[in-house]
Amino acid sequence: MKIGKQSAPYQSICTSNPETIIVRGHDLVDGLIGSVSFTEYTWLLVAGSLPDAKQRRILDATLVAIAEHGLVPSVQAARMTLAASPEAMQGAVAAGLLGCGSVILGASEAAGRFFHEIVVESEEKSVSLTDAAEFVVRAYRAERRAIPGYGHPLHKGRDPRAERLLALAEETEVSSTYCQIAKAVEAVLPDVVGKALMMNVSSAIPCVLLDAGYPLLALKGVPLLARTAGLIGHLLEEQTRPIGFIMSHAAAAAIEYDGLAPDGFVANEN
């Protein structure tokens, strides 16, 4: 029994014979290995064509921007998984990536879709990007939905990573509709939500990538790919300077038990 539409039994990414491997129309051995960077290869795999210099620089910058940010939840999960299962680095990397969602790592995709809603609103109603941005933001607020990509617990002003990515988009002459939308949202937020919420890296990544021509449906892959590199670095360090169990013990000490217990039971003091 088929589930879902299955009408096109084809794929256009890779094929091979005993002598040659073809990736997106390019000879892997003679045309790609040693000739293109991994960033260029990523764009080719995802978008189907090699990037121009501007596209390569933008994708490269977004990967660098989001690869590392200290002991965030994804890193803690990965380090503690490796501490518990030191033979399974792949499991530890996976543990760090499985939490990619609306709060951590997945917010870039959510912000990109949010920006695209504003594009559609502007085009369908023939209104300015600012008016469309205000309408969509108000709709999100009415539905009690968070505005993805704005506000940060550490960076109270505009996230410095966002500042650099926006500046780079200007430098490379990539900045266009989506960067305008990102700034328009930031401008209307104080009136709509009652306080200023500044752009963070999760709104800057999609706006510069989408303006560079990166596919909307593949946005989540950028932070996933970038954070994989960061996790590998943390996991190497975890093998040489382990802190996984230190974090585990600190978590246990920080959380108090408030459930039922037999009479006379006294919990160990941490």
Side-chain angles (χ1 to χ4, degrees):
M1 176 180 174
K2 292 182 179 180
I3 299 176
K5 189 176 181 180
Q6 303 284 329
S7 60
Y10 310 103
Q11 58 88 20
S12 58
I13 296 176
C14 181
T15 189
S16 63
N17 62 29
E19 293 78 32
T20 308
I21 302 167
I22 301 297
V23 179
R24 290 291 199 184
H26 296 262
D27 187 309
L28 174 65
V29 175
D30 292 337
L32 297 175
I33 296 176
S35 299
V36 301
S37 69
F38 184 66
T39 300
E40 292 170 311
Y41 192 43
T42 297
W43 191 289
L44 172 65
L45 288 169
V46 173
S49 60
L50 284 167
D52 61 28
K54 295 177 181 180
Q55 291 170 325
R56 180 207 57 76
R57 195 173 177 200
I58 291 295
L59 178 57
D60 210 26
T62 59
L63 290 167
V64 171
I66 199 63
E68 178 56 37
H69 204 290
L71 290 174
V72 292
S74 60
V75 171
Q76 293 183 40
R79 280 186 176 257
M80 285 192 277
T81 298
L82 192 71
S85 184
E87 71 281 359
M89 178 180 275
Q90 75 281 6
V93 171
L97 297 178
L98 286 173
C100 176
S102 59
V103 177
I104 301 294
L105 290 182
S108 290
E109 178 193 35
R113 293 180 181 275
F114 167 64
F115 294 155
H116 188 65
E117 287 183 50
I118 294 171
V119 170
V120 172
E121 179 71 16
S122 175
E123 292 176 349
E124 289 185 348
K125 295 187 177 177
S126 298
V127 297
S128 69
L129 292 175
T130 298
D131 288 344
E134 181 171 354
F135 178 85
V136 175
V137 169
R138 290 191 182 280
Y140 268 55
R141 290 292 289 174
E143 297 170 7
R144 299 183 179 275
R145 297 170 65 184
I147 309 300
Y150 292 84
H152 195 282
L154 176 62
H155 307 295
K156 298 304 181 184
R158 186 184 282 175
D159 187 329
R161 299 167 296 177
E163 291 275 18
R164 178 59 189 135
L165 289 175
L166 291 174
L168 183 62
E170 294 285 350
E171 291 172 25
T172 56
E173 299 181 335
V174 162
S175 182
S176 186
T177 300
Y178 285 95
C179 285
Q180 293 174 39
I181 289 171
K183 295 172 185 176
V185 170
E186 189 178 73
V188 303
L189 279 172
D191 286 339
V192 178
V193 306
K195 63 178 179 179
L197 291 174
M198 308 299 285
M199 290 177 62
N200 62 44
V201 72
S202 293
S203 55
I205 285 174
C207 73
V208 300
L209 282 173
L210 292 171
D211 274 344
Y214 190 84
L216 173 65
L217 295 178
L219 275 175
K220 185 179 283 188
V222 173
L224 284 173
L225 179 62
R227 191 53 58 88
T228 297
L231 290 172
I232 292 170
H234 275 279
L235 294 173
L236 173 60
E237 186 179 72
E238 184 63 27
Q239 294 175 74
T240 58
R241 300 176 62 188
I243 61 172
F245 281 118
I246 295 174
M247 291 190 294
S248 175
H249 294 321
I255 306 300
E256 296 183 4
Y257 175 77
D258 69 351
L260 298 174
D263 292 341
F265 174 83
V266 178
N268 289 328
E269 292 190 9
N270 295 308

